[in-house]
């Protein structure tokens, strides 16, 4: 299990927080020599790597130099927490070690009905619910037995004291199933004798029917049967003993009928092949139309480009945890954008767990001229651009406070000296490896509703004096 997801009475000390699951440490394991702690469960995926790294400082460590930190665990278990049913009205406060014992008997905890009616309710409401539960016991008014309320109708069907009328329709009233037992037994006996009589008749027919069926289908010479070439078009019918004469005298007709049938089926197969080919051509036309639509979208973006991209990243916390544990590949790649109409084509790259010197603590960002490492996309207008180019990058983490005047965006400006024309076998990328600390993003105004906004801006500068211009 990951860490303790409890509500503490005071803010949790960072020393007691797991850097992977981001909640209180459960069974903390200390990594040496850095001394950082990780939940035992969260540490297992990291230990499966050949060269495990600490999720906080990205330092390598030895599998055998990881031990259970019992002292830290005792401190965490002594922290004061609130009951998880606080919103329902529970005011209990106690150490983390007692929270499971308390919640197992908390009056505000949600439980199932003990009589298994399927209802879910708070433990303190069980007594009131038992008065209206569909499975509560009730007394049969005829025999006095205790029966569940929802089973009462089924019990009445078999209740020996339930009032019934005479099965012989004599008009007698006031009988019960016990008193009418003799009359029922007599009625059943008469019905059994009639049933035995009919069974005898059925047995006679059953023993004779197979022989009759075999005779009619195989042997009877006078039975009128159709020609065996019926599906080929021959509609002739006659007695069985005359069918041989028909077959011997109509050989040419039957062969012609079979030939016509084969030709018809062949034509149907050809028509089917033509329909399949038309469907394939239609699918190909749809693919080409989709490619044209994508090209038109790219052309529109190129004509309206201003060198800016705002990237909306959803489900940030889960994606960050996946990047830290190695479950998700990095970097994340944005959609392409252009510096100006018919300009340089770029895309943004994001390393949630950092890259290089920023790995483990920072979030790294960058701009590049192709979608490395997934597919090469050289700009459509590269052949008419001026090379080399001299860009100015601005990376901004947008603040999401409601008041615009209170917002404090985090920006970094990066100016590479020179950028030459990209090619299919060469990836050109520049960025900031230590853009922003990961801990400054979580639980802050930069991450609202688990969504983060990044803004990328590219401005083109004039070539410095002294450089040769192409």
């Amino acid at each position: 299990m990951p860490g303790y997801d409890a509500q503490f009475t005071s803010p949790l000390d960072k020393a007691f927080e797991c850097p992977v699951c981001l909640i209180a440490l459960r069974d903390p394991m200390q990594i040496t020599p850095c001394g950082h702690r990780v939940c035992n469960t969260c540490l297992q995926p990291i230990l499966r790597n050949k060269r495990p790294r600490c999720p906080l400082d990205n330092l390598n460590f030895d599998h055998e130099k990881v031990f259970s930190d019992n002292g830290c665990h005792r401190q965490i278990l002594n922290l004061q927490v609130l009951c998880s049913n606080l919103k329902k009205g529970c005011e209990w406060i106690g150490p983390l070690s007692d929270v499971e014992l308390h919640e197992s008997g908390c009056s505000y905890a949600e439980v199932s009905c003990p009589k298994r009616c399927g209802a879910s309710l708070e433990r303190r409401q069980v007594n009131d619910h038992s008065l209206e539960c569909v499975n509560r016991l009730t007394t049969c008014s005829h025999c006095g037995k205790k029966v569940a309320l929802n089973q009462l109708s089924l019990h009445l069907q078999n209740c020996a004291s339930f009032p019934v009328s005479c099965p012989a329709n004599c008009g007698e009233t006031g009988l019960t199933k016990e008193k009418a037992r003799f009359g029922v037994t007599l009625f059943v006996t008469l019905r059994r004798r009639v049933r035995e009589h009919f069974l005898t008749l059925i047995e006679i027919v059953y023993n004779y029917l197979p022989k009759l069926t075999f005779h009619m289908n195989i042997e009877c010479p006078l039975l009128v049967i159709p020609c065996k070439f019926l599906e080929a078009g021959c509609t002739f019918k006659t007695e069985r003993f005359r069918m041989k004469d028909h077959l011997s005298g109509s050989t040419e007709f039957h062969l012609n009928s079979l030939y016509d049938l084969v030709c018809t089926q062949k034509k149907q197969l050809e028509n089917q092949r033509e329909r399949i080919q038309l469907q394939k051509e239609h699918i190909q036309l749809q693919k080409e139309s989709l490619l044209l639509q994508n090209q038109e979208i790219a052309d529109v973006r190129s004509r309206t480009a201003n060198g800016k991209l705002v990237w909306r990243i959803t489900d940030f916390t889960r994606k960050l945890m996946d990047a830290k544990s190695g479950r998700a590949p990095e970097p994340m790649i944005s959609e392409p954008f252009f510096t100006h109409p018919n300009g340089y084509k770029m895309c943004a790259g994001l390393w949630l767990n950092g890259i290089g010197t920023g790995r483990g603590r920072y979030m790294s960002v960058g701009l590049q001229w192709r979608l490395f490492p997934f597919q090469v996309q050289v700009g459509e207008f590269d052949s008419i651009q001026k090379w080399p180019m001299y860009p100015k990058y601005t990376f901004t983490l947008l603040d999401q406070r409601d008041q615009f005047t209170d917002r404090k965006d985090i920006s970094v400006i990066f100016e590479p000296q020179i950028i030459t024309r990209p090619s299919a076998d060469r990836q050109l990328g520049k960025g900031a490896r230590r853009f922003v600390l990961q801990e400054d993003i979580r639980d802050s105004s930069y991450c609202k509703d688990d969504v983060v906004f990044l803004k990328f801006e590219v401005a083109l500068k004039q070539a410095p004096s002294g450089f040769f211009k192409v």
Side-chain angles (χ1 to χ4, degrees), residues 279-333:
Q279 290 178 350
K280 290 182 178 179
E281 294 175 357
H282 180 66
I283 293 174
Q284 183 62 30
L285 290 174
Q286 288 182 334
K287 290 181 178 179
E288 294 175 357
S289 176
L290 182 60
L291 290 175
L292 290 175
Q293 290 178 357
N294 292 335
Q295 184 63 38
E296 291 176 357
I297 293 173
D299 292 342
V300 172
R301 288 176 177 170
S302 174
R303 291 194 296 269
T304 59
N306 59 358
K308 297 180 181 180
L309 170 69
V310 177
W311 192 0
R312 183 175 183 266
I313 302 171
T314 60
D315 202 7
F316 177 79
T317 302
R318 181 187 61 79
K319 291 178 180 176
L320 176 60
M321 292 177 61
D322 290 346
K324 280 182 169 293
S325 62
R327 290 192 295 267
E330 290 198 292
M332 297 173 58
I333 303 298

Side-chain angles (χ1 to χ4, degrees), residues 194-228:
V194 173
R195 182 172 177 270
E196 290 174 354
H197 171 70
F198 278 106
L199 287 176
T200 302
L201 293 177
I202 292 174
E203 185 178 358
I204 295 173
V205 175
Y206 180 78
N207 291 331
Y208 175 72
L209 186 60
K211 297 180 181 179
L212 177 62
T213 303
F214 178 82
H215 171 75
M216 295 297 291
N217 292 336
I218 305 299
E219 297 177 344
C220 183
L222 299 180
L223 182 67
V224 177
I225 59 174
C227 176
K228 63 175 62 178

Side-chain angles (χ1 to χ4, degrees), residues 78-231:
N78 287 331
L79 295 176
Q80 297 293 306
V81 297
L82 301 172
C83 178
S84 60
N85 300 308
L86 175 64
K87 294 183 179 180
K88 297 180 181 179
C90 183
E91 300 178 352
W92 180 86
I93 298 177
L96 178 61
S97 58
D98 294 343
V99 68
E100 293 185 2
L101 178 62
H102 162 72
E103 291 184 353
S104 63
C106 180
S107 300
Y108 294 86
E110 186 171 299
V111 297
S112 299
C113 174
K115 297 185 183 298
R116 301 180 181 180
C117 71
S120 295
L121 62 158
E122 295 179 5
R123 184 176 280 108
R124 60 194 179 92
Q125 298 173 341
V126 170
N127 291 335
D128 295 337
H129 171 75
S130 62
L131 300 177
E132 55 186 18
C133 179
V134 296
N135 284 347
R136 68 183 185 273
L137 295 179
T138 185
T139 304
C140 175
S141 59
H142 304 290
C143 65
K145 292 183 179 180
K146 295 288 185 179
V147 185
L149 181 63
N150 60 350
Q151 298 292 324
L152 182 59
S153 59
L154 180 62
H155 167 75
L156 293 177
Q157 296 177 10
N158 302 309
C159 180
S161 300
F162 189 79
V164 295
S165 57
C166 177
N169 296 323
C170 67
E172 181 68 24
T173 59
L175 297 175
T176 64
K177 289 184 178 180
E178 287 180 335
K179 295 179 180 179
R181 184 172 301 170
F182 175 77
V184 171
T185 302
L186 178 62
F187 177 77
V188 170
T189 301
L190 294 174
R191 186 175 62 180
R192 185 184 299 114
R193 291 180 180 178
V194 173
R195 182 172 177 270
E196 290 174 354
H197 171 70
F198 278 106
L199 287 176
T200 302
L201 293 177
I202 292 174
E203 185 178 358
I204 295 173
V205 175
Y206 180 78
N207 291 331
Y208 175 72
L209 186 60
K211 297 180 181 179
L212 177 62
T213 303
F214 178 82
H215 171 75
M216 295 297 291
N217 292 336
I218 305 299
E219 297 177 344
C220 183
L222 299 180
L223 182 67
V224 177
I225 59 174
C227 176
K228 63 175 62 178
F229 293 94
L230 176 63
E231 294 187 359

Side-chain angles (χ1 to χ4, degrees), residues 289-414:
S289 176
L290 182 60
L291 290 175
L292 290 175
Q293 290 178 357
N294 292 335
Q295 184 63 38
E296 291 176 357
I297 293 173
D299 292 342
V300 172
R301 288 176 177 170
S302 174
R303 291 194 296 269
T304 59
N306 59 358
K308 297 180 181 180
L309 170 69
V310 177
W311 192 0
R312 183 175 183 266
I313 302 171
T314 60
D315 202 7
F316 177 79
T317 302
R318 181 187 61 79
K319 291 178 180 176
L320 176 60
M321 292 177 61
D322 290 346
K324 280 182 169 293
S325 62
R327 290 192 295 267
E330 290 198 292
M332 297 173 58
I333 303 298
S334 74
E335 63 182 24
F337 67 101
F338 294 83
T339 57
H340 57 278
N342 301 331
Y344 302 93
K345 187 176 183 180
M346 300 184 178
C347 62
L350 174 63
W351 292 259
L352 291 177
N353 197 34
I355 187 174
T357 57
R359 184 171 179 81
R361 295 186 61 196
Y362 291 86
M363 185 171 70
S364 306
V365 292
L367 290 175
Q368 50 196 21
W369 271 260
R370 71 185 182 96
L371 295 181
F372 178 84
F374 303 104
Q375 68 179 53
V376 176
Q377 281 197 352
V378 179
E380 291 86 345
F381 307 101
D382 285 355
S383 60
I384 62 174
Q385 306 301 332
K386 293 182 179 180
W387 300 99
M389 64 172 293
Y390 306 90
K392 175 184 177 182
Y393 302 149
T394 303
F395 310 113
T396 306
L397 176 63
L398 299 179
D399 195 334
Q400 302 181 50
R401 288 187 177 95
D402 294 334
Q403 293 295 331
F404 180 79
T405 55
D406 296 337
R407 295 177 182 175
K408 296 180 181 179
D409 299 337
I410 299 177
S411 298
V412 172
I413 298 176
F414 185 75

Side-chain angles (χ1 to χ4, degrees), residues 258-290:
L258 288 174
Y259 175 77
D260 293 340
L261 178 62
V262 171
C263 291
T264 302
Q265 292 178 345
K266 182 178 180 181
K267 187 175 181 180
Q268 291 175 349
L269 288 175
E270 291 177 353
N271 293 335
Q272 186 69 17
R273 291 194 188 99
E274 291 179 359
R275 285 195 293 269
I276 293 174
Q277 184 61 31
L278 289 175
Q279 290 178 350
K280 290 182 178 179
E281 294 175 357
H282 180 66
I283 293 174
Q284 183 62 30
L285 290 174
Q286 288 182 334
K287 290 181 178 179
E288 294 175 357
S289 176
L290 182 60

